[in-house]
Amino acid sequence: MAATATGKSLHIYSSQESLSFNPIRKIKTNHLKFTKTLFSPNSRCHRLAIRASTNSPTTLNDSPALSNPDHQLRVQILSESLPYIQKFRGKTIVVKYGGAAMKSAELKASVVRDLVLLSCVGLRPVLVHGGGPEINVLLNQLNIPSQFRDGLRVTDARTMEAVSMVLVGKVNKDLVSRINFAGATAVGLSGMDGRLLTARPSPNAAQLGFVGEVARVDPTVLQTLVDIGHIPVISSVAADEFGQQYNINADTVAGEVAAALGAEKLILLTDVAGILRNREDPGSLVKEIDIKGVKKMIEDGKVAGGMIPKVNCCIRSLAQGVRTASIIDGRVEHSLLHEIMTDEGAGTMITG
């Protein structure tokens, strides 16, 4: 088959047979006309001509779609994303979702759309979530006081029941529903499902109650879902070998899951821009740093407070084979795409 364009006609040449069309539709003064030309019996080609006519002369460059700057910009962005799609296609990306991105409807929609887009272009995203704000709401409704020690929720039996209800029954299913509605196929899991996570009590269990750590990860159920193109959505609740449920920090769960899956990248969505050289200066963002450098920042007190467990989670996942770990600003719309599809990123990337 071949094609030529002359004036306002597009001629498509096919072999074996020719087709005949008459003008059947008229919109205002524009016409589409399909005609055929039959070549001699010795010829192997027939010609299908598609002609567009109008009362006013137009050229290809006059097309609104081609001359619209917004359309051109979108095409350019799509074209420039090709190297990143090629780099990450087929690779597993584990995303920890929490903080401001869970509170804002716009940011929640942004995260969901980013995950679905990444899945559509061939990446294999896995989502791990917490749900602190939602837990607080239910505890207030039940008149159960919220207590924290060293940034971890003190979890007695009543609180553990509320945590499980919110994370497994509410937040998880809401995210699954949103991802499915956006066009992908999500499957909701807790640590108990498929023996995905086995928990153990925290060393500070006497003070923290049913706050746990990840003792073991069995990625079998996850690998099966990822291999068929589904997006696993994991809540950070797991049970020990005796069936006792524990509330586990979602950052920790994300790091351990990333290591078990051999993920290309771990991404933690946070309420800060990333790691700052000067905590008082938002402009002092560290764009990239290795394990040695970030450990030195902890020793020097430049990384402190709630950022320390996040950094330690990244270090641990990198030590177990994850290629890179990033702490990014979840307050920025489409920060996931910024991190994966641009050189600038959306926070701090830690390398091994």
Side-chain angles (χ1 to χ4, degrees):
M1 179 175 287
T4 62
T6 59
K8 294 171 187 171
S9 297
L10 174 64
H11 304 289
I12 303 175
Y13 300 90
S14 63
S15 60
Q16 304 305 320
E17 61 179 279
S18 60
L19 301 173
S20 177
F21 299 90
N22 293 318
I24 60 173
R25 187 176 182 187
K26 180 177 178 181
I27 303 175
K28 294 183 180 179
T29 58
N30 298 323
H31 302 263
L32 286 179
K33 182 179 294 184
F34 298 82
T35 63
K36 71 164 184 180
T37 300
L38 181 62
F39 283 63
S40 65
N42 295 329
S43 173
R44 296 177 57 86
C45 295
H46 302 281
R47 182 174 68 188
L48 174 65
I50 305 174
R51 294 185 176 87
S53 63
T54 180
N55 289 344
S56 60
T58 59
T59 64
L60 189 62
N61 291 333
D62 292 330
S63 169
L66 295 179
S67 60
N68 188 313
D70 289 339
H71 293 176
Q72 292 285 6
L73 178 60
R74 289 175 187 173
V75 170
Q76 182 180 353
I77 292 171
L78 285 171
S79 177
E80 291 177 354
S81 69
L82 177 61
Y84 303 100
I85 294 173
Q86 290 173 323
K87 176 181 178 180
F88 289 106
R89 184 173 176 82
K91 303 294 178 61
T92 300
I93 310 293
V94 177
V95 178
K96 184 268 177 172
Y97 171 59
M102 297 193 78
K103 302 173 189 175
S104 162
E106 291 78 13
L107 291 176
K108 186 179 292 187
S110 167
V111 171
V112 167
R113 287 175 63 85
D114 288 359
L115 285 169
V116 173
L117 189 152
L118 292 173
S119 177
C120 286
V121 298
L123 281 73
R124 294 148 56 110
V126 175
L127 185 66
V128 178
H129 67 85
E134 298 269 11
I135 294 171
N136 291 338
V137 170
L138 181 59
L139 291 177
N140 288 336
Q141 292 173 346
L142 298 174
N143 294 318
I144 300 174
S146 296
Q147 302 178 53
F148 292 86
R149 291 180 183 271
D150 301 321
L152 298 175
R153 185 185 298 276
V154 177
T155 308
D156 60 14
R158 291 183 69 201
T159 302
M160 185 64 240
E161 185 177 5
V163 167
S164 184
M165 289 169 61
V166 170
L167 296 187
V168 180
K170 186 175 188 293
V171 175
N172 187 271
K173 301 316 170 195
D174 176 66
L175 288 169
V176 167
S177 178
R178 288 172 181 271
I179 292 170
N180 288 343
F181 180 75
T185 301
V187 178
L189 300 167
S190 71
M192 288 86 74
D193 296 311
R195 301 176 185 266
L196 173 57
L197 303 174
T198 301
R200 62 171 175 248
S202 164
N204 299 323
Q207 292 79 35
L208 294 173
F210 297 110
V211 173
E213 297 179 342
V214 177
R216 187 166 59 253
V217 180
D218 182 350
T220 305
V221 66
L222 283 184
Q223 199 67 62
T224 301
L225 292 171
V226 167
D227 287 346
I228 60 175
H230 292 354
I231 301 178
V233 181
I234 305 168
S235 61
S236 55
V237 174
D240 64 15
E241 294 176 344
F242 305 101
Q244 172 60 55
Q245 292 186 19
Y246 287 88
N247 179 21
I248 305 179
N249 179 273
D251 293 331
T252 301
V253 171
E256 295 301 318
V257 166
L261 288 173
E264 178 75 12
K265 195 170 186 66
L266 168 67
I267 300 176
L268 306 182
L269 288 169
T270 67
D271 290 344
V272 295
I275 298 175
L276 305 177
R277 294 192 183 280
N278 180 354
R279 282 176 285 166
E280 307 301 322
D281 179 11
S284 64
L285 176 67
V286 177
K287 301 293 289 184
E288 184 173 341
I289 192 170
D290 60 16
I291 291 177
K292 182 178 178 180
V294 79
K295 284 183 174 179
K296 181 70 164 55
M297 290 187 72
I298 294 175
E299 293 171 2
D300 294 343
K302 294 180 179 179
V303 173
M307 185 59 73
I308 291 178
K310 294 183 184 298
V311 169
N312 285 335
C313 163
C314 293
I315 292 173
R316 180 173 170 81
S317 67
L318 291 169
Q320 296 181 83
V322 176
R323 292 288 299 274
T324 65
S326 296
I327 299 172
I328 71 172
D329 195 343
R331 302 167 300 176
V332 177
E333 285 194 22
H334 301 297
S335 55
L336 276 178
L337 294 185
H338 281 290
E339 176 62 26
I340 294 172
M341 297 294 188
T342 69
D343 286 333
E344 293 79 11
T348 302
M349 183 171 72
I350 306 173
T351 58

